[in-house]
Amino acid sequence: MKEAFLTLDTGGSKSHVMLTDLCGDTIAESYFAGCGLSSDSDIELLPQLKREIDKMRSAEGIASLTVKRAVVNLGGKNKNQIQRTLAACLPGTPIDIFRESEGVLAQEMGKAYGANAVLLAGTGCIAIAWGPDRRFVADGWGREIGDAGSGYDIGIRAIRRSLQALEEEGPLPLIAQRITGRSMPLRAEEPMDTQMKIRDAVRANFMPLQRERVAALTKTVSECAACGDEAAKEIFQAAGRAMAKTVLRALSKADCGEAKILIAGGLTNCSAYWKEEFEKAVHASKVMITQKDLTFAAIQWARERG
């Protein structure tokens, strides 16, 4: 019977699950909503995880696969729920689950690229740095109190900047037009009930402030920046400086010496708009960007221990 590894990288917005053979080559994979929930009691997305795994395993040609080991990178703290869900899908299979804030798999990936620090920049944001005898994690506190420079942070910055623009004089920046659905600022000459209707309509464009919905505004900011919108560019530049501060804290605590930084996660797709400000702030000897997620490191972990 053919054996395989299952690896899962799940965070605030997206999940990436893969079945690979024992050499690390992909057999099947799937992308779906993030199951990296912030609360141990919030398990509404876990049935979807089970459905995706069952669907992959029942596909023609791989239904007879035996999963030798499962390895998970978890961008959240609902470790027990993930463990139970996978155990139900894969009875008897050894399961290793690593919370992203532990930095275990991030360090494995960083070592593969010759880095001594990794910035995971997606819906959330967290930095892991390590020296000869110590390791330190910076930020990753969650969207309400941390994750500076993350996709969620960029989305919130874009909303705030757009709402401020509605209350200012002059033409609206492109980003404000896209987010508010308005082509011109609010006018004091309008009757108050008209102003309130407009405000309610604007608010409806981005409410409720669901994590993945806000983070998805990063794509809108990127599109506006590509069109030359200065407000959108400034949002990315501020995010780059914020992410740099996070990495610098981790590097300082870990006493790494010369910094070699690997950046991974969804924000690598729009790095053209924030990388320059990031590099100015960190003054690192080398900054590398990869679009790989931590399934890459999870596969290596499974192969070494499977």
Side-chain angles (χ1 to χ4, degrees), residues 18-36:
M18 295 181 68
L19 280 171
T20 63
D21 62 24
L22 301 190
C23 296
D25 295 324
T26 302
I27 298 171
E29 64 183 323
S30 177
Y31 291 89
F32 53 99
C35 297

Side-chain angles (χ1 to χ4, degrees), residues 56-281:
M56 287 175 61
R57 296 193 69 206
S58 63
E60 185 176 354
I62 62 174
S64 62
L65 278 177
T66 297
V67 177
K68 190 176 183 182
R69 193 175 204 93
V71 182
V72 180
N73 175 68
L74 173 62
K77 69 174 189 175
N78 55 322
K79 193 170 181 176
N80 291 336
Q81 279 75 19
I82 294 285
Q83 178 80 37
R84 286 198 292 268
T85 300
L86 287 177
C89 298
L90 310 167
T93 299
I95 301 168
D96 301 315
I97 300 179
F98 300 98
R99 288 178 60 182
E100 196 167 77
S101 54
E102 294 171 340
V104 173
L105 293 178
Q107 185 171 346
E108 289 293 312
M109 186 162 78
K111 287 178 178 178
Y113 284 88
N116 56 8
V118 174
L119 174 70
L120 300 173
T123 299
C125 190
I126 190 168
I128 299 97
W130 56 93
D133 58 356
R134 63 184 70 185
R135 181 173 69 196
F136 193 78
V137 174
D139 212 335
W141 293 109
R143 69 185 188 274
E144 293 91 353
I145 54 177
D147 289 348
S150 66
Y152 185 88
D153 187 29
I154 288 170
I156 288 293
R157 288 172 188 263
I159 291 171
R160 288 174 177 162
R161 178 67 185 89
S162 298
L163 297 182
Q164 289 168 5
L166 277 184
E167 298 168 352
E168 297 168 349
E169 299 294 335
L172 287 182
L174 180 59
I175 185 66
Q177 295 181 40
R178 291 284 301 276
I179 286 179
T180 67
R182 296 274 300 171
S183 60
M184 62 183 66
L186 293 168
R187 297 171 57 235
E189 303 91 89
E190 295 279 7
M192 186 51 65
D193 62 339
T194 300
Q195 290 188 46
M196 294 308 296
K197 287 179 182 178
I198 293 172
R199 289 169 65 93
D200 289 343
V202 166
R203 191 180 289 109
N205 283 334
F206 47 79
M207 295 294 285
L209 291 177
Q210 295 169 326
R211 174 174 41 194
E212 62 274 15
R213 189 175 182 183
V214 173
L217 290 175
T218 299
K219 183 178 180 182
T220 302
V221 181
S222 179
E223 291 167 352
C224 292
C227 293
D229 185 68
E230 292 301 322
K233 291 179 182 178
E234 288 169 6
I235 290 167
F236 275 124
Q237 290 163 0
R241 292 189 292 270
M243 288 187 284
K245 288 180 180 179
T246 298
V247 172
L248 289 173
R249 292 198 303 275
L251 286 165
S252 175
K253 284 279 194 174
D255 193 21
C256 298
E258 189 176 54
K260 296 182 179 178
I261 303 166
L262 172 68
I263 305 172
L267 290 187
T268 59
N269 294 317
C270 50
S271 61
Y273 305 115
W274 55 262
K275 184 171 182 281
E276 183 177 355
E277 287 296 310
F278 178 90
E279 290 181 325
K280 281 182 190 176

